[in-house]
């Protein structure tokens, strides 16, 4: 990755200095095929970063926001955070003998996928609540790091953090090389992402916006404070919540935003509603062979209304199968 | 300010390269007298930024958090945000004839300070709620910018944003020149601060943490979205809430924190509880001539328990009267 990053950085400078998309050996997006989305990205970055351009955007206003699940990494067959929570139930089961007779834990521990699926979102929320509360933020971070270092995706037999999209890593790097500040704005849990986003995406914790639970400041008997995670929702960063979260956490409107599902529609609308040049993009999952193919009828990452709006308003839509030469970084090795 | 900033930057490099506090013509904190707090700051920055030092802190971990009211600008005779809210009630009164018979608006409009004071915090909260809700975030920002550009402090007859502390501006700049990332962590409203913190402190909106109300995403009939401010609290960033807010918004523990009142005690405790070198500081308002003198018995910015803890744990305590050569930037002109 290091060599690629340097090449990408040079390419960005090249684009910057000549003001038009630059290709060939300095291609900043080598894993993207030369289709309309790649062209639109290169054109947008050139227009907004070239001094004197009518579309020039000052450095401080170059805010780029990215959804995470399905936009920066895979979200099938279940959201990775749900896989984490389910693994945690199994790990914690010896300390909770009552779970053997209590749903949804019973079905989960018996590996009864049909019963679990029938419980739907309610079951998953109970699992999340039971596994994301009652411990300190430090212990939760430790649990996340242990899980991301060991758990493997059932289909690819890879670490979950290996299942990030190579073309999007290049895009993040290209934007940063052009002085955009890259943020994650995810419906996922903020404390589930922060322990590893810097290492994997180059996005530091303070640039991660997400859903969160209430924490409580507690002074321990020895006088050392901890933050206890409570089973109470603080903020849901999804749908309209993404525009609200951007306002609360960033306080500036993005000029560039990328999502992949109806949960990202309002983030894209909010981005589009600002003055001047704007870039709105969606990842359409069209590659059942290399990744997954799903859209309007998926229970995870449903892309329906946002798709219609993107078509109508001519937002960029990535066709994964045709726009991306590779999906995952490990394909390059 | 530009020339001073350049000088400060050079000084920072000097400190960095020789690894010990550097004085004289390259003094990075020229408005600070050479007392124990200034020495402690210079020593801390030298130790944490010198490669090979036992106390070295990697750049990404250099998080510095500052309270705002009473730490970066004046907070007397009333919090400036309360002054803003009161001015707004007066400006909006023609549209609210009912306020003439309704407390606390009645007393405010009649300039009955005694009655207003008797209502205490409850009255102020009603005034904040009435003036900070029922409008879009964009209109609120506009109102804040109009007020900060025109309203004047009753004692100094200066714009409120002129009443920031010159020594703290130098400290912010010195820390940034040494690759610390500076944040505000204030009990004040996040949307009241963000419109001007970049211009005044060099702190961009995404590095401002504060109290906030709920906003609601609304698509207008023309399809353009707005965020409406509602009269509902989202988060109170004060006391224990400052540690919780640092965790939620920044996701990293500060290594450097500065406050001035009991509302900052938990932020300092949270900062102190991390491993490695730490700096905790309090501003003690001791100068009734140039600013204000208050501490244990003040209804605004009460400094009592945090003071005792700071003395016991040997945290830095600024004696404004003796540590600061000048208070406000306009004294330099």
């Amino acid at each position: 990755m290091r060599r690629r990053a340097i090449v990408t950085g040079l390419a960005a400078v090249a684009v910057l200095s000549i003001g038009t998309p630059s290709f060939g050996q300095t291609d900043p997006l080598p894993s993207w095929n030369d289709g309309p989305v790649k062209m639109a990205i290169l054109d947008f970055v050139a227009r907004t970063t070239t001094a004197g351009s009518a579309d020039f955007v000052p450095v401080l206003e170059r805010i780029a926001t990215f959804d995470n699940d399905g936009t920066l990494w895979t979200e099938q067959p279940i959201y990775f955070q749900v896989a984490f929570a389910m693994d945690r139930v199994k790990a914690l089961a010896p300390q909770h003998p009552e779970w053997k007779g209590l749903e949804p834990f019973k079905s989960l521990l018996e590996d009864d996928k049909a019963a679990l699926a029938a419980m739907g979102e309610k079951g998953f929320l109970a699992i999340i609540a039971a596994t994301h509360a009652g411990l300190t933020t430090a212990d939760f971070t430790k649990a996340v790091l242990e899980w991301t270092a060991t758990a493997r995706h059932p289909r690819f037999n890879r670490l979950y953090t290996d299942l990030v999209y190579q073309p999007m890593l290049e895009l993040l790097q290209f934007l940063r090389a052009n002085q955009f500040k890259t943020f994650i704005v995810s419906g996922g849990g903020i404390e589930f992402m922060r322990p590893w986003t810097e290492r994997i995406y180059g996005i530091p914790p303070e640039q991660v916006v997400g859903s969160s639970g209430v924490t409580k400041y507690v002074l321990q008997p020895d006088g050392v404070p901890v933050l206890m995670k409570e089973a109470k929702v603080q903020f849901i960063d999804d749908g309209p919540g993404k525009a609200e979260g951007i306002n609360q956490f960033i306080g500036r409107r993005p000029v560039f935003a990328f999502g992949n599902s109806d949960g990202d529609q309002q983030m894209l609308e909010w981005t589009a509603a600002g003055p001047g040049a704007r870039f709105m993009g969606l990842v359409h999952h069209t590659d059942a062979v290399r990744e997954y193919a799903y859209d309007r009828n998926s229970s995870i990452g449903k892309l329906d209304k946002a798709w219609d709006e993107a078509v109508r308003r001519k937002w960029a839509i990535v066709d994964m199968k045709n726009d991306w030469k590779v999906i995952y970084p490990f394909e390059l090795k």
Side-chain angles (χ1 to χ4, degrees), chain A residues 22-226:
Chain A
S22 165
F23 278 79
Q25 68 184 102
T26 59
D27 185 353
L29 301 173
S31 298
W32 292 70
N33 283 314
D34 294 344
V37 178
K38 179 174 179 172
M39 300 301 292
I41 291 169
L42 293 172
D43 175 61
F44 176 83
V45 171
R47 281 188 289 124
T48 52
T49 60
T50 303
S53 155
D55 290 330
F56 182 76
V57 175
V59 168
L60 289 170
E61 302 286 336
R62 293 183 198 164
I63 304 290
T65 58
F66 289 81
D67 169 57
N68 185 40
D69 298 309
T71 299
L72 296 181
W73 74 354
T74 292
E75 61 184 348
Q76 299 285 0
I78 52 174
Y79 291 127
F80 293 0
Q81 190 175 359
V82 174
F84 162 73
M86 289 168 72
D87 284 350
R88 242 181 104 65
V89 166
K90 289 172 192 165
L92 295 173
Q95 296 152 247
H96 293 272
E98 75 281 9
W99 282 353
K100 278 184 193 159
L102 188 70
E103 290 295 4
F105 309 103
K106 182 173 177 292
S107 298
L108 171 54
L109 293 171
E110 291 169 0
D111 228 12
D112 185 345
K113 290 194 174 70
L116 212 54
M119 278 178 270
E121 198 171 331
K122 211 182 136 196
F124 287 126
L125 284 179
I127 289 167
I128 295 272
T131 54
H132 285 56
L135 72 173
T136 66
T137 50
D139 284 342
F140 185 78
T141 295
K142 210 174 140 229
V144 170
L145 288 173
E146 280 170 10
W147 185 81
T148 50
T150 55
R152 284 179 178 263
H153 188 278
R155 173 173 159 192
F156 296 100
N157 192 31
R158 291 271 179 181
L159 296 182
Y160 286 92
T161 47
D162 286 347
L163 301 176
V164 297
Y165 303 135
Q166 175 62 27
M168 295 307 264
L169 295 181
E170 293 167 7
L171 175 54
L172 288 171
Q173 175 57 29
F174 176 56
L175 289 170
R176 286 193 293 259
N178 282 284
Q179 295 179 279
F180 284 79
K181 202 164 176 177
T182 53
F183 288 81
I184 289 173
V185 177
S186 168
I190 201 165
E191 295 189 310
F192 176 69
M193 298 181 282
R194 281 176 169 164
W196 50 267
T197 54
E198 187 149 53
R199 183 173 56 86
I200 301 292
Y201 299 136
I203 296 179
E206 62 269 27
Q207 284 161 230
V208 177
V209 182
S211 298
S212 58
V214 168
T215 60
K216 196 179 169 189
Y217 184 83
V218 178
L219 268 186
Q220 299 176 114
D222 63 359
V224 175
V226 294

Side-chain angles (χ1 to χ4, degrees), chain A residues 44 61 63-66 180 185 242-243 246 250 252-259 264-281 309 313 315:
Chain A
F44 176 83
E61 302 286 336
I63 304 290
T65 58
F66 289 81
F180 284 79
V185 177
K242 289 210 176 185
I246 285 168
I250 308 176
R252 262 202 255 253
R253 194 191 299 257
V255 294
F256 188 107
F258 235 112
D264 302 311
Q265 188 176 8
Q266 288 81 7
M267 172 170 76
L268 300 183
E269 288 174 352
W270 183 244
T271 302
R278 306 270 136 189
F279 184 96
M280 284 65 61
E309 185 168 1
R313 302 180 68 174
W315 294 343

